[in-house]
Amino acid sequence: MIGILCAMREELEPVLEKVEVTEIIEYARNRFYKAKFQNKNLILAYSKIGKVNSATTATIMIEKFGAKKILFSGVAGAIDSDLKIGDLIIATKTTQHDVDLRVFGYEPGYIPESRVFFDCDKKLNDIAKKVANKMGIKLKEGIIASGDQFIHSKEKKEWIRKTFGASAIDMEGGAVGCVTWIFDVPFFMLRAISDTAEEGAGVDFDKFLEESSEVSAKFLIQMLKEINE
Ligand code: ADE
């Protein structure tokens, strides 16, 4: 069983259109879609925005539906200046930029007995790079930092870049990374850029959410062809 997770309805819909949904299960104030793609069994859902929602949905996919991998598809704000709206990035690792226990001497993002960075699966990332090559599209790799805030400030974005070495920002990757680390399940994080996380990012996000979600979904489907359950 492969888990496909998004944060928002707009991110999941273009994925759902491309698979064969066989069953819809209402559970935990959410809707889970069992589906088939080329004989592979999938469980799909959008969690709703944010770290708690995405961590909960990832946990349900793993514990209730038996997902053996979690693939995330959606949109992100760009930190690196070479990332333009519509460009794709995969995470090498994810982190939580809003975790702050510095008053106790810990580095930003660190929770005792946990970690700052959660590694994404190298094999899945290698498949993504192969697929991008075949499709002739640019695919960036970098750290994605997450927090329960929509970032729309140059200053905050710079702080996240400087502190975590992040290339892009979202509101879920660090949480799903933590869950998949806890359960030792391979995690793949794919995002298409919807905005530059600076002043005015909210306007761009609304404008490009659907378009960039489609870019991410299309790529994910190409990748699925190369992945075993
Ligand atoms: N997802 C897409 N754009 C974002 C931003 N600017 N901040 C946080 N999450 C995002």
Side-chain angles (χ1 to χ4, degrees):
M1 184 71 83
I2 300 171
I4 297 180
L5 178 57
C6 302
M8 299 176 72
R9 180 195 304 271
E10 291 86 346
E11 294 170 324
L12 184 65
E13 266 170 1
V15 184
L16 281 177
E17 279 167 11
K18 299 169 183 58
V19 298
E20 186 202 332
V21 175
T22 54
E23 192 184 348
I24 299 174
I25 298 138
E26 305 272 349
Y27 182 74
R29 298 187 193 275
N30 208 348
R31 185 170 293 170
F32 292 83
Y33 300 84
K34 281 194 171 170
K36 287 255 182 203
F37 181 78
Q38 294 187 339
N39 277 330
K40 284 161 226 184
N41 292 301
L42 313 176
I43 184 79
L44 303 99
Y46 74 90
S47 61
K48 301 183 283 294
I49 294 168
K51 286 164 51 192
V52 172
N53 287 323
S54 58
T56 304
T57 306
T59 303
I60 291 169
M61 282 184 168
I62 295 165
E63 285 286 275
K64 182 176 170 67
F65 293 106
K68 298 285 182 259
K69 301 177 174 62
I70 298 284
L71 315 183
F72 198 108
S73 172
V75 302
I79 295 184
D80 286 352
S81 55
D82 63 341
L83 278 172
K84 307 295 180 213
I85 288 172
D87 285 355
L88 283 167
I89 177 167
I90 55 172
T92 49
K93 45 194 182 175
T94 61
T95 188
Q96 304 179 78
H97 67 70
D98 58 353
V99 166
D100 186 356
L101 295 172
R102 283 177 293 182
V103 70
F104 301 107
Y106 297 119
E107 61 185 301
Y110 184 70
I111 292 174
E113 299 185 47
S114 184
R115 34 167 63 200
V116 176
F117 293 105
F118 303 99
D119 292 330
C120 294
D121 189 69
K122 183 159 182 327
K123 276 191 214 141
L124 291 171
N125 281 2
D126 284 346
I127 292 171
K129 283 184 254 181
K130 228 174 60 191
V131 168
N133 245 337
K134 221 157 74 183
M135 292 171 77
I137 60 171
K138 193 180 95 184
L139 178 67
K140 191 180 170 95
E141 244 192 325
I143 294 169
I144 296 184
S146 315
D148 282 318
Q149 303 145 7
F150 184 86
I151 305 298
H152 56 104
S153 139
K154 202 165 184 158
E155 195 185 342
K156 186 76 202 252
K157 161 177 157 168
E158 272 312 303
W159 182 83
I160 294 169
R161 185 189 60 72
K162 208 175 68 211
T163 308
F164 298 98
S167 295
I169 308 175
D170 69 14
M171 298 179 68
E172 295 83 20
V176 180
C178 183
V179 166
T180 52
W181 172 67
I182 287 169
F183 288 105
D184 205 12
V185 167
F187 172 42
F188 175 70
M189 168 55 80
L190 173 70
R191 297 277 189 178
I193 300 302
S194 56
D195 59 86
T196 55
E198 296 179 4
E199 288 70 10
V203 175
D204 279 347
F205 180 87
D206 280 342
K207 192 162 155 198
F208 295 108
L209 169 62
E210 286 184 21
E211 215 172 290
S212 293
S213 294
E214 175 68 36
V215 170
S216 184
K218 241 189 209 151
F219 188 87
L220 189 81
I221 292 291
Q222 292 308 312
M223 251 198 91
L224 264 186
K225 295 179 182 171
E226 313 285 333
I227 296 174
N228 299 318
E229 254 181 73

